[in-house]
């Protein structure tokens, strides 16, 4: 006779595991809200370049996002801290991005039915950065197509 598995205990263990930010899967329902906060942080950072007359192009912004994705995977920044003002500014954007998860919380439902705010999980953070990367690439493609159409017309 096979022993029965305690369904309730197993489910509770899985639920508790999903509440651990280090082990929790990406919460795709929260990505849009997190993405909005990150976009505001990026816009604020980019505005700070105006007095320095530094305006980053999409490729430079994308490089900071790519580096933040690599950081989320456990790899350190690929840049030196500031070979020149522009590199320093891009690295600053990267630094600003990697600090965002400590300021962003997501709601988690606990097994007792309560909802609480916990720091964003690494998986949700990485998924957010990947979505941001996709948006930047898609926007760049749209701009390139518009410019190509203007040149033809």
């Amino acid at each position: 006779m096979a022993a029965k598995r305690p369904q309730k205990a197993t489910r509770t263990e899985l639920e508790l595991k999903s509440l651990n930010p280090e082990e929790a899967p990406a919460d795709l329902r929260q990505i849009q809200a997190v993405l909005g906060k990150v976009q505001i942080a990026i816009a604020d950072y980019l505005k700070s370049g105006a007095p320095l007359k530094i305006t980053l192009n999409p490729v430079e912004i994308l490089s900071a996002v790519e580096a933040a994705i690599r950081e989320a995977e456990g790899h350190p920044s690929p840049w030196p801290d500031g070979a020149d003002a522009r590199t320093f500014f891009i690295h600053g954007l990267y630094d600003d991005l990697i600090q965002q998860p400590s300021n962003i919380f997501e709601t988690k439902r606990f097994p007792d039915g309560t909802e609480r705010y916990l720091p964003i999980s690494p998986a949700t953070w990485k998924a957010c950065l990947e979505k941001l990367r996709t948006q930047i690439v898609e926007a760049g493609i749209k701009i390139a197509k518009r410019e190509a159409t203007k040149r033809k017309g």
Side-chain angles (χ1 to χ4, degrees), residues 50-150:
L52 304 170
K53 298 192 184 335
I54 296 176
T55 303
L56 299 183
N57 64 46
V59 172
E60 292 167 323
I61 296 168
L62 188 60
S63 69
V65 172
E66 288 284 350
I69 291 170
R70 297 221 358 102
E71 173 79 23
E73 295 169 342
H75 305 288
S77 167
W79 290 302
D81 267 342
D84 58 33
R86 189 166 207 80
T87 303
F88 183 81
F89 194 70
I90 296 168
H91 195 277
L93 176 58
Y94 157 78
D95 282 338
D96 198 51
L97 282 170
I98 64 170
Q99 291 174 23
Q100 290 303 309
S102 64
N103 300 322
I104 300 173
F105 296 85
E106 58 187 348
T107 56
K108 290 286 184 180
R109 182 171 294 282
F110 279 71
D112 67 1
T114 61
E115 280 191 2
R116 300 178 199 159
Y117 291 101
L118 294 176
I120 188 172
S121 72
T124 301
W125 174 242
K126 185 174 177 250
C128 176
L129 290 172
E130 289 169 344
K131 176 83 171 169
L132 178 62
R133 174 181 55 198
T134 299
Q135 287 180 344
I136 293 169
V137 169
E138 288 173 354
I141 291 169
K142 286 180 186 176
I143 291 169
K145 284 182 181 178
R146 262 190 253 135
E147 289 176 359
T149 303
K150 285 180 184 177

Side-chain angles (χ1 to χ4, degrees), residues 35-54:
L35 191 56
K37 292 174 184 176
V38 172
Q39 289 169 331
I40 290 169
I42 290 172
D44 288 346
Y45 184 82
L46 295 176
K47 283 180 195 173
S48 73
L52 304 170
K53 298 192 184 335
I54 296 176

